[in-house]
Amino acid sequence: MIRTRSPFRRTAVLAAASAAALVLAACGGHGDTGDSSAAHGGHPSDTASPAASAAASPGQHNAADVAFAEGMVPHHRQAVEMADLAPGRARSAEVKKLAADIKKAQDPEIEKLSGWLTSWGEDVPAAGAMDHSLHGGASGGMMTMQEMDQLEKASGKAFDTAFLEMMIKHHDGAVAMARTEKAEGASPDAKAMADAIVTSQSAEIAQMHKLLLGTS
């Protein structure tokens, strides 16, 4: 009896072991699939989220950022237009250098501001399409057409005085716009530029007040 049952038991044990192996294999497969899907659906998405956030971070912006860029592009363009008059009209070497510094600082900022607007899906203000007389409020400090004509016709000491007076007003407007951006904007890059504008143009305003005293 023992000899006849032994193979049976052996067969039953083997069958049970095989079945158990199949169950374990099946469970292992599901576990791997679960891990795999977790790896593909959970962990990569977790690791991809910061990467996606980092990639999206430069594009983070709000309406205040758009208003800042849209207003500062024509504002800077006019400052550069004013600065371009200095080499042939200014008498003071300090005024000429200041104008060159303004152009050197603001030309690259115009490019950055325009690039941000494009990346945000906004239109870049058309070059030469601005009406100076319309930019007295939100864009603060913009010169009127009459003021620009006056500056273009001036030369020597008269130009130096007019340039400094107008550029002080112009810078005051830019600083006000930049402070609004710092308080209300969401773009880290735009807010960093605004901070730089406040610092640099405030220093230039102080310098221009001193130069203005020298022209009087």
Side-chain angles (χ1 to χ4, degrees):
M1 297 292 292
I2 294 175
R3 287 181 184 176
T4 55
R5 287 180 182 177
S6 227
F8 219 34
R9 286 181 180 176
R10 200 175 292 117
T11 303
V13 169
L14 289 173
S18 298
L22 287 172
V23 170
L24 288 172
C27 290
H30 289 307
D32 292 341
T33 304
D35 291 344
S36 176
S37 69
H40 293 292
H43 296 297
S45 69
D46 291 344
T47 51
S49 290
S53 298
S57 180
Q60 177 187 354
H61 68 284
N62 61 13
D65 299 314
V66 174
F68 171 70
E70 287 179 338
M72 198 61 80
V73 166
H75 200 277
H76 272 16
R77 281 177 182 156
Q78 190 181 66
V80 171
E81 183 182 345
M82 294 166 68
D84 282 339
L85 298 174
R89 292 173 173 78
R91 183 179 73 176
S92 166
E94 288 100 334
V95 169
K96 288 182 179 180
K97 183 180 184 306
L98 174 66
D101 289 343
I102 289 170
K103 179 179 174 66
K104 183 179 179 181
Q106 297 195 21
D107 265 339
E109 288 180 346
I110 291 170
E111 291 184 15
K112 284 186 179 180
L113 291 159
S114 300
W116 293 339
L117 285 170
T118 300
S119 70
W120 296 338
E122 304 290 342
D123 292 332
V124 177
M130 63 182 178
D131 179 353
H132 302 139
S133 65
L134 297 180
H135 295 278
S139 295
M142 293 285 283
M143 300 299 103
T144 63
M145 288 296 293
Q146 290 74 22
E147 287 172 320
M148 290 299 292
D149 287 341
Q150 175 191 339
L151 191 62
E152 288 173 5
K153 292 174 183 175
S155 62
K157 184 177 178 180
F159 176 88
D160 295 344
T161 300
F163 178 85
L164 293 170
E165 288 177 344
M166 291 182 189
M167 194 61 80
I168 286 171
K169 177 183 174 184
H170 208 269
H171 273 27
D172 279 336
V175 169
M177 293 165 65
R179 284 178 175 153
T180 298
E181 165 61 18
K182 285 178 65 178
E184 301 177 8
S187 166
D189 290 338
K191 293 178 77 169
M193 178 185 286
D195 189 56
I197 287 172
V198 170
T199 300
S200 63
Q201 296 203 21
S202 293
E204 287 176 345
I205 288 169
Q207 178 188 359
M208 287 188 285
H209 276 298
K210 290 180 181 178
L211 291 174
L212 198 54
L213 288 175
T215 64
S216 57

PDB file of all heavy atoms in Angstrom, residues 28-59:
ATOM      1  N   GLY A  28       4.109  37.024  -9.351  1.00  0.00           N
ATOM      2  CA  GLY A  28       5.328  37.779  -9.644  1.00  0.00           C
ATOM      3  C   GLY A  28       5.156  38.635 -10.866  1.00  0.00           C
ATOM      4  O   GLY A  28       5.606  39.762 -10.924  1.00  0.00           O
ATOM      5  N   GLY A  29       4.486  38.103 -11.900  1.00  0.00           N
ATOM      6  CA  GLY A  29       4.257  38.859 -13.132  1.00  0.00           C
ATOM      7  C   GLY A  29       3.427  40.084 -12.859  1.00  0.00           C
ATOM      8  O   GLY A  29       3.707  41.164 -13.340  1.00  0.00           O
ATOM      9  N   HIS A  30       2.351  39.876 -12.013  1.00  0.00           N
ATOM     10  CA  HIS A  30       1.496  41.014 -11.701  1.00  0.00           C
ATOM     11  C   HIS A  30       2.272  42.030 -10.892  1.00  0.00           C
ATOM     12  O   HIS A  30       2.103  43.218 -11.055  1.00  0.00           O
ATOM     13  CB  HIS A  30       0.261  40.562 -10.918  1.00  0.00           C
ATOM     14  CG  HIS A  30      -0.711  39.785 -11.779  1.00  0.00           C
ATOM     15  ND1 HIS A  30      -1.183  40.282 -12.964  1.00  0.00           N
ATOM     16  CD2 HIS A  30      -1.280  38.558 -11.612  1.00  0.00           C
ATOM     17  CE1 HIS A  30      -2.026  39.402 -13.513  1.00  0.00           C
ATOM     18  NE2 HIS A  30      -2.083  38.350 -12.700  1.00  0.00           N
ATOM     19  N   GLY A  31       3.130  41.502  -9.999  1.00  0.00           N
ATOM     20  CA  GLY A  31       3.920  42.420  -9.180  1.00  0.00           C
ATOM     21  C   GLY A  31       4.855  43.229 -10.045  1.00  0.00           C
ATOM     22  O   GLY A  31       5.012  44.428  -9.881  1.00  0.00           O
ATOM     23  N   ASP A  32       5.495  42.537 -11.025  1.00  0.00           N
ATOM     24  CA  ASP A  32       6.396  43.250 -11.917  1.00  0.00           C
ATOM     25  C   ASP A  32       5.652  44.275 -12.732  1.00  0.00           C
ATOM     26  O   ASP A  32       6.106  45.380 -12.946  1.00  0.00           O
ATOM     27  CB  ASP A  32       7.105  42.264 -12.873  1.00  0.00           C
ATOM     28  CG  ASP A  32       8.075  41.375 -12.100  1.00  0.00           C
ATOM     29  OD1 ASP A  32       8.431  41.773 -10.975  1.00  0.00           O
ATOM     30  OD2 ASP A  32       8.444  40.315 -12.638  1.00  0.00           O
ATOM     31  N   THR A  33       4.447  43.832 -13.208  1.00  0.00           N
ATOM     32  CA  THR A  33       3.646  44.768 -14.005  1.00  0.00           C
ATOM     33  C   THR A  33       3.261  45.960 -13.174  1.00  0.00           C
ATOM     34  O   THR A  33       3.271  47.098 -13.629  1.00  0.00           O
ATOM     35  CB  THR A  33       2.368  44.064 -14.528  1.00  0.00           C
ATOM     36  OG1 THR A  33       2.760  42.919 -15.256  1.00  0.00           O
ATOM     37  CG2 THR A  33       1.550  45.002 -15.397  1.00  0.00           C
ATOM     38  N   GLY A  34       2.891  45.664 -11.890  1.00  0.00           N
ATOM     39  CA  GLY A  34       2.514  46.761 -11.008  1.00  0.00           C
ATOM     40  C   GLY A  34       3.687  47.676 -10.791  1.00  0.00           C
ATOM     41  O   GLY A  34       3.563  48.894 -10.843  1.00  0.00           O
ATOM     42  N   ASP A  35       4.886  47.061 -10.546  1.00  0.00           N
ATOM     43  CA  ASP A  35       6.066  47.885 -10.345  1.00  0.00           C
ATOM     44  C   ASP A  35       6.385  48.664 -11.604  1.00  0.00           C
ATOM     45  O   ASP A  35       6.775  49.810 -11.567  1.00  0.00           O
ATOM     46  CB  ASP A  35       7.281  46.998  -9.977  1.00  0.00           C
ATOM     47  CG  ASP A  35       7.104  46.387  -8.593  1.00  0.00           C
ATOM     48  OD1 ASP A  35       6.238  46.902  -7.860  1.00  0.00           O
ATOM     49  OD2 ASP A  35       7.812  45.416  -8.281  1.00  0.00           O
ATOM     50  N   SER A  36       6.242  47.960 -12.748  1.00  0.00           N
ATOM     51  CA  SER A  36       6.543  48.603 -14.018  1.00  0.00           C
ATOM     52  C   SER A  36       5.613  49.768 -14.271  1.00  0.00           C
ATOM     53  O   SER A  36       6.014  50.835 -14.678  1.00  0.00           O
ATOM     54  CB  SER A  36       6.429  47.574 -15.145  1.00  0.00           C
ATOM     55  OG  SER A  36       6.636  48.190 -16.375  1.00  0.00           O
ATOM     56  N   SER A  37       4.290  49.520 -14.015  1.00  0.00           N
ATOM     57  CA  SER A  37       3.355  50.595 -14.254  1.00  0.00           C
ATOM     58  C   SER A  37       3.576  51.700 -13.259  1.00  0.00           C
ATOM     59  O   SER A  37       3.397  52.860 -13.558  1.00  0.00           O
ATOM     60  CB  SER A  37       1.908  50.094 -14.196  1.00  0.00           C
ATOM     61  OG  SER A  37       1.559  49.723 -12.894  1.00  0.00           O
ATOM     62  N   ALA A  38       4.018  51.300 -12.033  1.00  0.00           N
ATOM     63  CA  ALA A  38       4.314  52.331 -11.056  1.00  0.00           C
ATOM     64  C   ALA A  38       5.535  53.116 -11.512  1.00  0.00           C
ATOM     65  O   ALA A  38       5.616  54.309 -11.363  1.00  0.00           O
ATOM     66  CB  ALA A  38       4.586  51.697  -9.680  1.00  0.00           C
ATOM     67  N   ALA A  39       6.495  52.323 -12.108  1.00  0.00           N
ATOM     68  CA  ALA A  39       7.703  52.982 -12.573  1.00  0.00           C
ATOM     69  C   ALA A  39       7.403  53.901 -13.736  1.00  0.00           C
ATOM     70  O   ALA A  39       7.984  54.950 -13.875  1.00  0.00           O
ATOM     71  CB  ALA A  39       8.734  51.925 -12.989  1.00  0.00           C
ATOM     72  N   HIS A  40       6.453  53.436 -14.581  1.00  0.00           N
ATOM     73  CA  HIS A  40       6.139  54.248 -15.761  1.00  0.00           C
ATOM     74  C   HIS A  40       5.059  55.269 -15.468  1.00  0.00           C
ATOM     75  O   HIS A  40       5.000  56.292 -16.103  1.00  0.00           O
ATOM     76  CB  HIS A  40       5.694  53.345 -16.927  1.00  0.00           C
ATOM     77  CG  HIS A  40       6.807  52.473 -17.425  1.00  0.00           C
ATOM     78  ND1 HIS A  40       7.893  52.974 -18.066  1.00  0.00           N
ATOM     79  CD2 HIS A  40       6.988  51.117 -17.341  1.00  0.00           C
ATOM     80  CE1 HIS A  40       8.706  51.971 -18.387  1.00  0.00           C
ATOM     81  NE2 HIS A  40       8.174  50.850 -17.944  1.00  0.00           N
ATOM     82  N   GLY A  41       4.174  54.921 -14.525  1.00  0.00           N
ATOM     83  CA  GLY A  41       3.082  55.835 -14.273  1.00  0.00           C
ATOM     84  C   GLY A  41       3.280  56.651 -13.027  1.00  0.00           C
ATOM     85  O   GLY A  41       2.821  57.764 -12.929  1.00  0.00           O
ATOM     86  N   GLY A  42       4.010  56.104 -12.020  1.00  0.00           N
ATOM     87  CA  GLY A  42       4.159  56.811 -10.772  1.00  0.00           C
ATOM     88  C   GLY A  42       5.482  57.507 -10.656  1.00  0.00           C
ATOM     89  O   GLY A  42       5.561  58.715 -10.685  1.00  0.00           O
ATOM     90  N   HIS A  43       6.558  56.673 -10.561  1.00  0.00           N
ATOM     91  CA  HIS A  43       7.865  57.282 -10.321  1.00  0.00           C
ATOM     92  C   HIS A  43       8.303  58.199 -11.445  1.00  0.00           C
ATOM     93  O   HIS A  43       8.729  59.300 -11.191  1.00  0.00           O
ATOM     94  CB  HIS A  43       8.916  56.185 -10.063  1.00  0.00           C
ATOM     95  CG  HIS A  43       8.610  55.404  -8.803  1.00  0.00           C
ATOM     96  ND1 HIS A  43       8.596  55.996  -7.577  1.00  0.00           N
ATOM     97  CD2 HIS A  43       8.295  54.104  -8.610  1.00  0.00           C
ATOM     98  CE1 HIS A  43       8.290  55.077  -6.648  1.00  0.00           C
ATOM     99  NE2 HIS A  43       8.102  53.921  -7.271  1.00  0.00           N
ATOM    100  N   PRO A  44       8.233  57.764 -12.763  1.00  0.00           N
ATOM    101  CA  PRO A  44       8.642  58.692 -13.794  1.00  0.00           C
ATOM    102  C   PRO A  44       7.808  59.945 -13.786  1.00  0.00           C
ATOM    103  O   PRO A  44       8.282  61.009 -14.046  1.00  0.00           O
ATOM    104  CB  PRO A  44       8.458  57.937 -15.100  1.00  0.00           C
ATOM    105  CG  PRO A  44       8.584  56.526 -14.718  1.00  0.00           C
ATOM    106  CD  PRO A  44       8.109  56.434 -13.306  1.00  0.00           C
ATOM    107  N   SER A  45       6.493  59.811 -13.515  1.00  0.00           N
ATOM    108  CA  SER A  45       5.695  61.017 -13.518  1.00  0.00           C
ATOM    109  C   SER A  45       6.106  61.882 -12.349  1.00  0.00           C
ATOM    110  O   SER A  45       6.128  63.090 -12.440  1.00  0.00           O
ATOM    111  CB  SER A  45       4.206  60.704 -13.443  1.00  0.00           C
ATOM    112  OG  SER A  45       3.868  60.191 -12.181  1.00  0.00           O
ATOM    113  N   ASP A  46       6.507  61.213 -11.220  1.00  0.00           N
ATOM    114  CA  ASP A  46       6.950  61.995 -10.077  1.00  0.00           C
ATOM    115  C   ASP A  46       8.263  62.697 -10.406  1.00  0.00           C
ATOM    116  O   ASP A  46       8.467  63.851 -10.077  1.00  0.00           O
ATOM    117  CB  ASP A  46       7.157  61.080  -8.847  1.00  0.00           C
ATOM    118  CG  ASP A  46       5.821  60.547  -8.324  1.00  0.00           C
ATOM    119  OD1 ASP A  46       4.802  61.129  -8.718  1.00  0.00           O
ATOM    120  OD2 ASP A  46       5.825  59.577  -7.553  1.00  0.00           O
ATOM    121  N   THR A  47       9.178  61.939 -11.065  1.00  0.00           N
ATOM    122  CA  THR A  47      10.455  62.545 -11.403  1.00  0.00           C
ATOM    123  C   THR A  47      10.298  63.503 -12.577  1.00  0.00           C
ATOM    124  O   THR A  47      11.052  64.442 -12.709  1.00  0.00           O
ATOM    125  CB  THR A  47      11.494  61.460 -11.759  1.00  0.00           C
ATOM    126  OG1 THR A  47      10.918  60.593 -12.718  1.00  0.00           O
ATOM    127  CG2 THR A  47      11.922  60.688 -10.538  1.00  0.00           C
ATOM    128  N   ALA A  48       9.298  63.249 -13.443  1.00  0.00           N
ATOM    129  CA  ALA A  48       9.105  64.114 -14.594  1.00  0.00           C
ATOM    130  C   ALA A  48       8.432  65.419 -14.183  1.00  0.00           C
ATOM    131  O   ALA A  48       8.611  66.425 -14.826  1.00  0.00           O
ATOM    132  CB  ALA A  48       8.259  63.426 -15.648  1.00  0.00           C
ATOM    133  N   SER A  49       7.637  65.366 -13.102  1.00  0.00           N
ATOM    134  CA  SER A  49       6.921  66.557 -12.690  1.00  0.00           C
ATOM    135  C   SER A  49       7.860  67.719 -12.374  1.00  0.00           C
ATOM    136  O   SER A  49       7.670  68.805 -12.877  1.00  0.00           O
ATOM    137  CB  SER A  49       6.029  66.265 -11.485  1.00  0.00           C
ATOM    138  OG  SER A  49       4.967  65.448 -11.879  1.00  0.00           O
ATOM    139  N   PRO A  50       8.911  67.475 -11.540  1.00  0.00           N
ATOM    140  CA  PRO A  50       9.827  68.582 -11.290  1.00  0.00           C
ATOM    141  C   PRO A  50      10.506  69.058 -12.567  1.00  0.00           C
ATOM    142  O   PRO A  50      10.706  70.230 -12.773  1.00  0.00           O
ATOM    143  CB  PRO A  50      10.857  67.988 -10.328  1.00  0.00           C
ATOM    144  CG  PRO A  50      10.167  66.820  -9.699  1.00  0.00           C
ATOM    145  CD  PRO A  50       9.238  66.301 -10.747  1.00  0.00           C
ATOM    146  N   ALA A  51      10.848  68.095 -13.452  1.00  0.00           N
ATOM    147  CA  ALA A  51      11.486  68.474 -14.713  1.00  0.00           C
ATOM    148  C   ALA A  51      10.528  69.311 -15.543  1.00  0.00           C
ATOM    149  O   ALA A  51      10.907  70.318 -16.133  1.00  0.00           O
ATOM    150  CB  ALA A  51      11.904  67.225 -15.482  1.00  0.00           C
ATOM    151  N   ALA A  52       9.264  68.858 -15.588  1.00  0.00           N
ATOM    152  CA  ALA A  52       8.266  69.601 -16.354  1.00  0.00           C
ATOM    153  C   ALA A  52       8.066  70.969 -15.732  1.00  0.00           C
ATOM    154  O   ALA A  52       7.928  71.966 -16.422  1.00  0.00           O
ATOM    155  CB  ALA A  52       6.951  68.833 -16.379  1.00  0.00           C
ATOM    156  N   SER A  53       8.053  71.006 -14.383  1.00  0.00           N
ATOM    157  CA  SER A  53       7.877  72.281 -13.703  1.00  0.00           C
ATOM    158  C   SER A  53       9.053  73.199 -14.001  1.00  0.00           C
ATOM    159  O   SER A  53       8.885  74.387 -14.217  1.00  0.00           O
ATOM    160  CB  SER A  53       7.769  72.077 -12.189  1.00  0.00           C
ATOM    161  OG  SER A  53       6.645  71.284 -11.901  1.00  0.00           O
ATOM    162  N   ALA A  54      10.261  72.627 -13.995  1.00  0.00           N
ATOM    163  CA  ALA A  54      11.449  73.432 -14.266  1.00  0.00           C
ATOM    164  C   ALA A  54      11.407  73.982 -15.680  1.00  0.00           C
ATOM    165  O   ALA A  54      11.766  75.114 -15.932  1.00  0.00           O
ATOM    166  CB  ALA A  54      12.708  72.592 -14.057  1.00  0.00           C
ATOM    167  N   ALA A  55      10.948  73.116 -16.618  1.00  0.00           N
ATOM    168  CA  ALA A  55      10.889  73.555 -18.009  1.00  0.00           C
ATOM    169  C   ALA A  55       9.824  74.632 -18.187  1.00  0.00           C
ATOM    170  O   ALA A  55       9.966  75.536 -18.975  1.00  0.00           O
ATOM    171  CB  ALA A  55      10.585  72.370 -18.913  1.00  0.00           C
ATOM    172  N   ALA A  56       8.738  74.492 -17.423  1.00  0.00           N
ATOM    173  CA  ALA A  56       7.637  75.432 -17.574  1.00  0.00           C
ATOM    174  C   ALA A  56       7.866  76.711 -16.790  1.00  0.00           C
ATOM    175  O   ALA A  56       7.244  77.723 -17.038  1.00  0.00           O
ATOM    176  CB  ALA A  56       6.332  74.781 -17.120  1.00  0.00           C
ATOM    177  N   SER A  57       8.774  76.657 -15.803  1.00  0.00           N
ATOM    178  CA  SER A  57       8.984  77.791 -14.914  1.00  0.00           C
ATOM    179  C   SER A  57       9.291  79.106 -15.618  1.00  0.00           C
ATOM    180  O   SER A  57       8.724  80.123 -15.286  1.00  0.00           O
ATOM    181  CB  SER A  57      10.097  77.461 -13.914  1.00  0.00           C
ATOM    182  OG  SER A  57      10.308  78.549 -13.049  1.00  0.00           O
ATOM    183  N   PRO A  58      10.217  79.119 -16.632  1.00  0.00           N
ATOM    184  CA  PRO A  58      10.501  80.379 -17.294  1.00  0.00           C
ATOM    185  C   PRO A  58       9.286  80.991 -17.975  1.00  0.00           C
ATOM    186  O   PRO A  58       9.232  82.189 -18.195  1.00  0.00           O
ATOM    187  CB  PRO A  58      11.572  79.999 -18.326  1.00  0.00           C
ATOM    188  CG  PRO A  58      12.185  78.760 -17.789  1.00  0.00           C
ATOM    189  CD  PRO A  58      11.064  78.033 -17.100  1.00  0.00           C
ATOM    190  N   GLY A  59       8.307  80.141 -18.338  1.00  0.00           N
ATOM    191  CA  GLY A  59       7.119  80.637 -19.006  1.00  0.00           C
ATOM    192  C   GLY A  59       6.020  81.071 -18.057  1.00  0.00           C
ATOM    193  O   GLY A  59       4.973  81.523 -18.492  1.00  0.00           O
TER     194      GLY A  59
END
